[in-house]
Amino acid sequence: MDSTLFSEFNRPPALIIGSGISLRYLEGSKDWVGLLKALATRMGMSNGDFLAYESGAKLEFNKNKISDGLTTHLPYLCYDLEKYLIDSFKNKTLNASEFFTEEEYKQYEEGMDSLKILAASEVQNYKLRTDDKCLGEIELFRKIAN
């Protein structure tokens, strides 16, 4: 690489890392669909129900992809899953105070989005992989940050 490439910048370049990094470095992590499926399961949704919601999100995405500028159906799926959860609370098929853990329920009472609460709880248990290859790569990221 030409060493003068970055010489005219006042600040160092930013390193942008995609969401796939969690799959590489965190044990038990899931891709977006896997994460949403885990949340749907926690909400009591069957695999068949989840697939129906995902199919509906894909239809909505295909109908609107030019006008909304999205590149995936996942925002539609997130919206539909959160609506399902909220409707379950409204219809009393789920009781929020019993469904959430005590800490999650505090967040819910503070107005945090219910699906975000579930997602945060799901990912907080992920652990960093400890094999030499991953730890070596993570150390390289630390060096870049400095």
Side-chain angles (χ1 to χ4, degrees), residues 31-46:
D31 64 9
W32 278 108
V33 173
L35 175 63
L36 295 176
K37 187 180 275 191
L39 303 184
T41 299
R42 181 166 170 201
M43 291 186 284
M45 194 180 279
S46 70

Side-chain angles (χ1 to χ4, degrees), residues 107-144:
Q107 295 170 349
Y108 178 73
E109 286 183 313
E110 292 169 3
M112 188 175 193
D113 292 341
S114 54
L115 200 64
K116 287 180 182 177
I117 294 168
L118 295 183
S121 290
E122 176 73 22
V123 302
Q124 78 179 5
N125 296 319
Y126 294 168
K127 303 280 187 248
L128 191 62
R129 294 187 194 280
T130 57
D131 61 84
D132 290 340
K133 181 179 180 183
C134 285
L135 291 176
E137 291 173 1
I138 291 169
E139 186 56 35
L140 290 174
F141 283 126
R142 284 190 182 108
K143 287 179 181 180
I144 290 171

Side-chain angles (χ1 to χ4, degrees), residues 8-104:
E8 295 181 24
F9 291 98
N10 295 331
R11 298 184 304 192
L15 176 64
I16 298 174
I17 300 173
S19 63
I21 199 161
S22 60
L23 293 173
R24 182 170 180 87
Y25 297 109
L26 299 176
E27 291 179 10
S29 62
K30 301 167 180 66
D31 64 9
W32 278 108
V33 173
L35 175 63
L36 295 176
K37 187 180 275 191
L39 303 184
T41 299
R42 181 166 170 201
M43 291 186 284
M45 194 180 279
S46 70
N47 187 54
D49 289 342
F50 177 81
L51 292 173
Y53 273 83
E54 186 176 24
S55 294
K58 287 177 180 177
L59 286 173
E60 194 66 25
F61 165 71
N62 287 328
K63 183 174 81 174
N64 297 314
K65 66 181 167 185
I66 294 173
S67 63
D68 68 14
L70 296 175
T71 58
T72 178
H73 69 288
L74 296 177
Y76 289 106
L77 181 55
C78 288
Y79 173 84
D80 289 343
L81 291 177
E82 181 153 25
K83 185 169 180 347
Y84 174 89
L85 185 56
I86 291 167
D87 287 346
S88 296
F89 293 152
K90 285 180 183 177
N91 299 330
K92 309 261 189 262
T93 54
L94 287 176
N95 181 324
S97 64
E98 295 171 1
F99 174 77
F100 289 121
T101 66
E102 186 176 325
E103 180 61 32
E104 291 170 344

